[in-house]
Amino acid sequence: MYTFLNKYGQALAFGIGVLITVIFLAAIFSADDTTRELLLANDKSPEAYETGIFDFGITISIILIGLAFLVAIIFGVIQMASNPKGSLKGIAGLVVLVIIGFVAYSVASGEANDPEIQNAITKFETSQEASITPGNLKFISASIVTALVMLALSALTLVVFGIRGIFK
């Protein structure tokens, strides 16, 4: 399987992507005239949202994302099982990521103190008929802080190894 994917994997993925794109575009361009006119007019009426013209694209995107996630997990577990010593760096990185996320979640307040953020939350809750709980706010805040810390660590690593490469 590895040799097949190594030899033909990119071409196979590209071919599947082209095929899905052609099917999706065929579904869009084969729509009846009233649906096409409704979408081209950029009409925000309820009828525009009831069209099923994009259902194939959305469904196949969700399926492909789920498939990619599943394959990444399966191959990650296989790689860790086949080379446990070599996967220690990846496991350590994952542990550091979880620790940073846990610390960020623990220190997050769960309250929107800024009026702009509170206004955005109100708009979201009104338009989506949903509510954002303090737990949601803590998770969002922790995710943003974790992403910023990881961005800063990657920039620091880039600078440190760039300087190290100069003196090597």
Side-chain angles (χ1 to χ4, degrees):
M1 180 72 161
Y2 175 77
T3 55
F4 174 78
L5 288 177
N6 194 22
K7 189 172 184 180
Y8 301 111
Q10 270 188 323
L12 184 66
F14 183 76
I16 291 172
V18 167
L19 179 66
I20 289 171
T21 303
V22 167
I23 293 170
F24 180 61
L25 290 175
I28 291 173
F29 290 124
S30 66
D32 59 355
D33 290 334
T34 56
T35 303
R36 201 171 321 129
E37 288 175 14
L38 185 68
L39 294 173
L40 289 174
N42 201 13
D43 189 11
K44 302 218 182 319
S45 65
E47 293 87 24
Y49 293 106
E50 291 174 3
T51 180
I53 197 169
F54 300 110
D55 289 352
F56 173 77
I58 293 171
T59 303
I60 201 71
S61 296
I62 291 170
I63 290 170
L64 288 175
I65 289 169
L67 182 66
F69 178 76
L70 187 67
V71 168
I73 295 296
I74 290 171
F75 280 114
V77 169
I78 290 171
Q79 181 64 25
M80 284 184 357
S82 65
N83 186 9
K85 188 176 180 182
S87 63
L88 287 178
K89 288 181 186 177
I91 293 171
L94 187 62
V95 168
V96 168
L97 179 66
V98 169
I99 289 171
I100 291 170
F102 178 75
V103 169
Y105 185 82
S106 298
V107 300
S109 69
E111 295 177 11
N113 298 328
D114 190 81
E116 289 182 30
I117 293 175
Q118 187 60 45
N119 187 27
I121 291 171
T122 304
K123 283 182 181 179
F124 175 79
E125 290 176 340
T126 304
S127 67
Q128 299 297 318
E129 298 177 3
S131 62
I132 295 181
T133 64
N136 294 128
L137 285 176
K138 282 183 77 163
F139 182 77
I140 292 167
S141 176
S143 299
I144 292 170
V145 169
T146 302
L148 290 174
V149 167
M150 296 306 290
L151 183 66
L153 286 175
S154 66
L156 180 68
T157 303
L158 183 69
V159 169
V160 167
F161 280 102
I163 293 172
R164 182 177 162 226
I166 293 172
F167 295 112
K168 250 187 166 180

